[in-house]
Amino acid sequence: MRKSRVVGMAAVAAGSVALLFGASILALRSTWTSNYVERRAISFLEARLNARVEVGTIELILYPSLAVMGTEFRATRRDSSESVPFVAIDRFQISGSPWALWRRHVSSIELDGLELRIVRGASGQPAMTRPKNDVLVDRVVVRNGRLVIVPRNPQKVPLEFALHEVSVTDFGFDRSSTYAAQITNPKPTALIQAEGHIGPWDATDFATTPLDGVYLLANGDLGTIKGIGGALESSGKFAGVLERIRVEGTTTSRDFQLKMAGNAVPLETQYVAIVDGTSGDTILEQVNATLGSSRLTARGSIASMPGAKARAISLRVTADDARFEDLLRLAIKGDADPPMRGLLNLDTSFVLPPSDEDIPLRLDLNGTFSIAQGQFTSDAVQDKVDALSRRGRGQPKNQNVNNVLSAFGGTFALEKGVLSLPRLQFSVNGARVDLAGNYRLPTETMAFRGTLSLDAPVSKTVTGFKSILLKAVDPLFRRNGAGTQIPIAITGTVAKPAFKVEARRIFSRK
């Protein structure tokens, strides 16, 4: 009798537990529970983000683990006049054990189709007061996301990054978290892998969020920037806050080229820059570049312009004893050797505004240059230079004067593909040419006028009977301390220049 009573009591207890468990399951799966979870989640997020939060659908999943799934999450700033949410998520899932979730400890959050909009300069929102024990997430994973950085100036175009996959571990609003990310850079198109730390977060001003890490840029395509080409690789480290990140790194392009010419020259850089991660603008504190075997240095900025899709590059570029042929190889068409080699010293401004035109047509330069130990690679041109030096010395038949080194120097300006040289001086032993004119990069044609000055009088530039005849006109050509001064014009191309004496200017003395 006692045994049957115990069995009966056990059956009643088991039935009660079953009913309680069943009731719990039904309660958890009920609309009331879903609505309660939705209200608590929205209330929690609105407090943390200081925003209006909306959710399309929300559902509780009990198996294989407790999870909250939802769609169409939207968070909009309370004090914003814009209706565009600064956080939008197509689908999300929050998973964890019931006890852990009750204690605000989440095992994982998966976000698909996240769009995060950071509006630079958005401020004026009240600071949030967080509890000491804020929410903690073991791992957050973002897939198929998009980061949109909206500039302070509404006339400027937003900067967008495709977030292939981003994972954040040990996430909390009040702490630093570890992250790993795969991002597509817009221009030049490239895949960037980065890892480091981010946070603590201030949802009232994302721009002040601390950030550090290392990055690797692979398979960069410079061809996505109009006018240039080549593959790009880069690596480095960074630290700061989102609106001011200090970056130190290197870049390598083994086949850098201007598409107008199509000749590849290796380019490597080491740089230190300050990047505004909320606008994409960059201050280049120091850039040490090696183009071919030539070293150049640069400082300046890469900044957005009103209404433009790209950024303007504004630099100060200097070079000491660079190889002139390295720069010529970029600008001259064809596979032949550059028409001249020598040591280049350069000091110029460099402004590249955003435009759909090729780089040589929109690049603005303004500066000074000098070329020492210059020598033409074309035998025909070098022979003319050697002959000029012989005549200038008054030794027109002296064949020991050959392979003469030349020197160039002057001021220049490049605008819309036209290189203007208001003051250009070319000299060899015994002769000097002072010119002014221009060189057109697209057609490789030139038009210069100036004077040829020789140390020797005109009668000494030839031999025999011609020399005797020209002695009578030596005074006509002797000017400004030169034995001979002749007005000239140079046209044609660099490979095939045409020299002409302007006889009228001889008599007009202009």
Side-chain angles (χ1 to χ4, degrees), residues 201-500:
W201 293 81
D202 185 350
T204 64
D205 189 1
F206 280 135
T208 61
T209 301
L211 176 73
D212 68 58
V214 295
Y215 80 90
L216 176 65
L217 183 153
N219 301 320
D221 182 9
L222 292 173
T224 56
I225 301 176
K226 192 172 181 62
I228 65 175
L232 179 68
E233 296 179 354
S234 181
S235 62
K237 60 182 181 179
F238 53 91
V241 296
L242 284 176
E243 66 179 0
R244 185 176 175 82
I245 307 169
R246 181 180 174 85
V247 185
E248 298 181 28
T250 61
T251 69
T252 301
S253 177
R254 296 181 175 84
D255 55 352
F256 179 75
Q257 58 189 274
L258 300 180
K259 290 184 178 179
M260 182 188 71
N263 292 321
V265 180
L267 174 64
E268 297 180 357
T269 69
Q270 294 180 330
Y271 69 91
V272 177
I274 302 297
V275 179
D276 186 334
T278 65
S279 68
D281 291 350
T282 301
I283 302 297
L284 298 171
E285 292 189 338
Q286 181 71 44
V287 179
N288 296 318
T290 302
L291 179 69
S293 58
S294 300
R295 296 186 180 276
L296 301 92
T297 61
R299 290 181 175 86
S301 65
I302 305 174
S304 56
M305 297 179 65
K309 295 181 179 180
R311 284 165 172 72
I313 303 174
S314 181
L315 305 173
R316 193 76 196 180
V317 181
T318 59
D320 295 318
D321 291 339
R323 303 302 307 183
F324 186 45
E325 55 268 34
D326 289 334
L327 276 74
L328 284 178
R329 189 172 284 110
L330 276 179
I332 302 299
K333 296 178 182 179
D335 298 329
D337 290 336
M340 187 179 180
R341 54 179 175 263
L343 299 178
L344 171 68
N345 291 301
L346 178 69
D347 185 355
T348 181
S349 62
F350 177 108
V351 179
L352 186 64
S355 170
D356 291 332
E357 292 183 304
D358 285 346
I359 284 182
L361 298 179
R362 55 188 168 101
L363 176 61
D364 288 344
L365 302 176
N366 199 316
T368 61
F369 79 101
S370 65
I371 300 172
Q373 302 180 26
Q375 197 166 31
F376 291 92
T377 57
S378 168
D379 291 339
V381 176
Q382 186 61 43
D383 287 345
K384 291 181 180 180
V385 173
D386 294 342
L388 175 63
S389 182
R390 295 188 196 108
R391 294 179 187 277
R393 300 181 194 191
Q395 304 170 28
K397 295 296 185 180
N398 186 356
Q399 295 301 313
N400 290 325
V401 178
N402 56 36
N403 293 323
V404 174
L405 296 179
S406 309
F408 281 84
T411 60
F412 67 92
L414 176 64
E415 185 177 5
K416 296 182 179 180
V418 178
L419 178 63
S420 300
L421 295 147
R423 185 179 63 83
L424 172 65
Q425 188 177 86
F426 164 74
S427 62
V428 295
N429 284 337
R432 188 183 78 245
V433 179
D434 293 283
L435 295 171
N438 61 68
Y439 172 73
R440 297 182 178 274
L441 272 66
T443 58
E444 299 183 0
T445 57
M446 55 184 175
F448 292 96
R449 297 181 70 200
T451 57
L452 166 63
S453 301
L454 307 176
D455 292 346
V458 68
S459 61
K460 294 293 186 179
T461 63
V462 294
T463 59
F465 187 65
K466 290 181 180 179
S467 177
I468 297 173
L469 291 177
L470 288 174
K471 283 185 178 181
V473 296
D474 277 348
L476 182 62
F477 291 94
R478 189 181 294 119
R479 298 179 186 176
N480 302 321
T484 302
Q485 194 171 81
I486 303 172
I488 61 171
I490 304 177
T491 56
T493 66
V494 173
K496 294 182 179 179
F499 299 90
K500 177 184 177 182

Side-chain angles (χ1 to χ4, degrees), residues 17-29:
V17 170
L19 288 172
L20 180 61
F21 181 76
S24 299
I25 296 296
L26 291 174
L28 287 173
R29 295 182 62 88

Side-chain angles (χ1 to χ4, degrees), residues 143-218:
R143 298 184 181 90
N144 305 315
R146 192 163 67 117
L147 172 62
V148 181
I149 298 172
V150 182
R152 179 187 291 112
N153 188 338
Q155 294 182 345
K156 295 184 178 182
V157 177
L159 183 67
E160 297 187 12
F161 295 90
L163 308 177
H164 295 301
E165 182 168 323
V166 179
S167 63
V168 181
T169 57
D170 191 28
F171 173 80
F173 288 103
D174 59 348
R175 67 186 63 203
S176 175
S177 307
T178 302
Y179 72 89
Q182 290 186 351
I183 304 171
T184 295
N185 191 64
K187 279 192 178 182
T189 300
L191 179 65
I192 300 176
Q193 294 179 304
E195 58 183 42
H197 304 87
I198 188 168
W201 293 81
D202 185 350
T204 64
D205 189 1
F206 280 135
T208 61
T209 301
L211 176 73
D212 68 58
V214 295
Y215 80 90
L216 176 65
L217 183 153

